[in-house]
Amino acid sequence: MQVEAVVESVVGSAEPRAGRISPGWAVPDGGGGSGRGARLLTVLRERLPGPRVLAWSLSGIFFVLYATVAVLRHRQGLNGGFDIGIFEQAVQAYAHGRAPVVELKGPGFNLLGDHFHPILVLLAPFYRVFPSPYTLLVAQAGLLALACFPLTRWAHRAVGPVAALVVGCGVGASWGIVSAAAKDFHEIAFAVPMLAFGAVALGQRRWWAAVLWTAPLLLVKEDLGLTLAAVGAYIVWQAVRNKASGAPLGLGIAVVVLGVVGSAVEILVLLPAMNPSGAFAYWAQMPGEEGSGGGILSLALGLVWPPMKWLLVFMLAAPVAFVGVRSPLLLLCVPTLGWRFVAGNEHYWTPGFHYSAILMPVLFAGFVDVLARRKDLVPGVWRRRALGFAAAFAVVSAAVYPLHDLVLPSAWRTPAHVAVARQVLDRIPDGDTVASSNRLAPFLTSRTTVSLVCYGTGPDPKALPTGLPAHPPRWVVFDRTDPTVKVPCPVERSQHMLKLYREHGYVQVVEEDGVVLLRRP
């Protein structure tokens, strides 16, 4: 019985039978209404399956959708050495019992000196059996789709089956998660289901379960310790504000300390110890550092300017019909939004990258929390309208963001240029060393040692290289049509290195459709 109690605390109480709502969480789907819309809602309430079946069904559907889109886009050459190639080299090293040294980041670069994500080692056994970038893409699809499960189940039990369908589809089609699933691979895929289960546990006042689900965030990325601290702060707030919640004050304080200290140790000690420069690599993007301005005024202005940040706020609030942001669970979003808004990298503000994926499960947990607990905020017919708006936004997101690839005939065809590039790359033997363009690197990482074509040596790291790498590769492949002309390899730097390779005797093997292949004599 004690074992059952522990399991019950972590994963939630036993599910009600299909088609019924647990009495402890039963809240009507929204009052009133007549005509065709009301009849449709009645049919949905009667026909939709129970919490567990619906939750697993939606998770499975979105897993297939994510994996399909990711594979199609990879086959089209839309991923790069930055970032899927980097993570594949790290997981490949783990799979063979080595430190995660990643040549795509630089000669002998230990990736644990860039970001702190030892949780990637969990992918090593799968990669050892299936050594391919598709292993990472499919694993990422599964992790992201898993976020649908706890949120759908909670919405079903707390609000009703129709709300569960809207919430589950809203999470699955959310632009933040879809953007992450469709492009490259990133370590934050592990954090998305952790935060989904953790936020639901907080909403259901299962405090220890929330901590157990979110504590591993410390192993996903160095800034997520602050999100863990926010979990502790939420527990402290509940303990002080609402004695009836049963929130343990001591637990909350301990989690705050653990999160803050954990992030501090990772950023100030562990990452500098493994970084070639001996420092945290991203200080320069913070206020007060070179190139980002300084002072309190700059910090304050950075929170509201440029206007792209307001678009991001709108895009975060819209999927939950703007009412989800009224939940105190949104406290968990504050650390991530805080560092993103004050940082000097404009990619952090744009609603098109993977950075918002970890916010989506928290937003939808807040949505369910408001619908279930705060009837005064969305009374009667407004609850139905909120669900309708969220459903409509999910449909629009699915049409605008990469899920639409599934209905585009062009997405199912390999572009002619990519087919030619693959034929050129087939000339490179397995196990050899290659300096490659960014977009070609992912086609080589599973079978060769790849670095970037723009890497060389010289007295000034910021100037054009004056010599070849210390350990020159046997092959050099350069795509003149590679669209990543700024990061990670500025086009002039790549062209300069291609010239240096030729001057040092590298022989051109072939050039087809802008893809140049050189070989060391």
Side-chain angles (χ1 to χ4, degrees), residues 14-76:
E15 298 295 343
R17 292 188 343 204
R20 299 181 61 186
I21 305 174
S22 175
W25 290 94
V27 180
D29 263 307
S34 60
R36 194 172 300 173
R39 287 195 296 272
L40 176 61
L41 288 176
T42 301
V43 170
L44 285 175
R45 291 192 192 101
E46 294 175 350
R47 299 289 179 86
L48 286 173
R52 184 178 293 275
V53 174
L54 182 61
W56 278 124
S57 298
L58 291 179
S59 296
I61 289 170
F62 280 106
F63 165 65
V64 173
L65 296 180
Y66 296 160
T68 304
V69 169
V71 168
L72 291 177
R73 292 174 74 85
H74 186 78
R75 289 177 55 190
Q76 290 183 310

Side-chain angles (χ1 to χ4, degrees), residues 272-460:
M274 289 177 279
N275 190 285
S277 67
F280 179 53
Y282 297 94
W283 283 132
Q285 298 184 9
M286 294 296 107
E289 299 295 328
E290 181 182 354
S292 62
I296 296 178
L297 180 61
S298 174
L299 178 63
L301 182 62
L303 292 173
V304 297
W305 198 263
M308 179 63 70
K309 296 176 182 179
W310 289 103
L311 174 62
L312 176 60
V313 171
F314 172 84
M315 290 292 288
L316 291 172
V320 292
F322 304 98
V323 302
V325 298
R326 301 290 295 275
S327 169
L329 286 172
L330 270 291
L331 174 65
L332 276 62
C333 294
V334 171
T336 296
L337 286 177
W339 71 256
R340 287 176 63 183
F341 275 25
V342 302
N345 187 339
E346 63 182 15
H347 291 161
Y348 297 154
W349 321 324
T350 306
F353 292 91
H354 61 281
Y355 301 107
S356 295
I358 62 173
L359 302 178
M360 294 298 159
V362 178
L363 288 164
F364 278 92
F367 190 37
V368 177
D369 185 50
V370 169
L371 293 178
R373 297 187 187 280
R374 298 297 305 276
K375 299 178 186 179
D376 56 315
L377 295 179
V378 275
V381 70
W382 285 103
R383 301 175 71 240
R384 288 175 53 192
R385 291 176 179 175
L387 289 169
F389 184 92
F393 194 87
V395 172
V396 172
S397 295
V400 172
Y401 281 84
L403 285 181
H404 68 242
D405 284 6
L406 296 170
V407 297
L408 297 178
S410 59
W412 295 83
R413 295 192 294 265
T414 301
H417 177 74
V418 174
V420 170
R422 297 295 294 266
Q423 292 175 0
V424 173
L425 297 177
D426 286 342
R427 294 172 177 258
I428 302 173
D430 292 354
D432 232 328
T433 55
V434 190
S436 169
S437 295
N438 181 48
R439 286 290 179 90
L440 298 180
F443 297 131
L444 294 164
T445 43
S446 61
R447 65 182 186 89
T448 65
T449 300
V450 191
S451 59
L452 289 179
V453 70
C454 59
Y455 290 165
T457 56
D460 186 355

Side-chain angles (χ1 to χ4, degrees), residues 106-122:
F109 191 99
N110 188 323
L111 197 61
L112 288 175
D114 185 53
H115 289 299
F116 192 75
H117 37 49
I119 199 166
L120 292 177
V121 75
L122 296 179

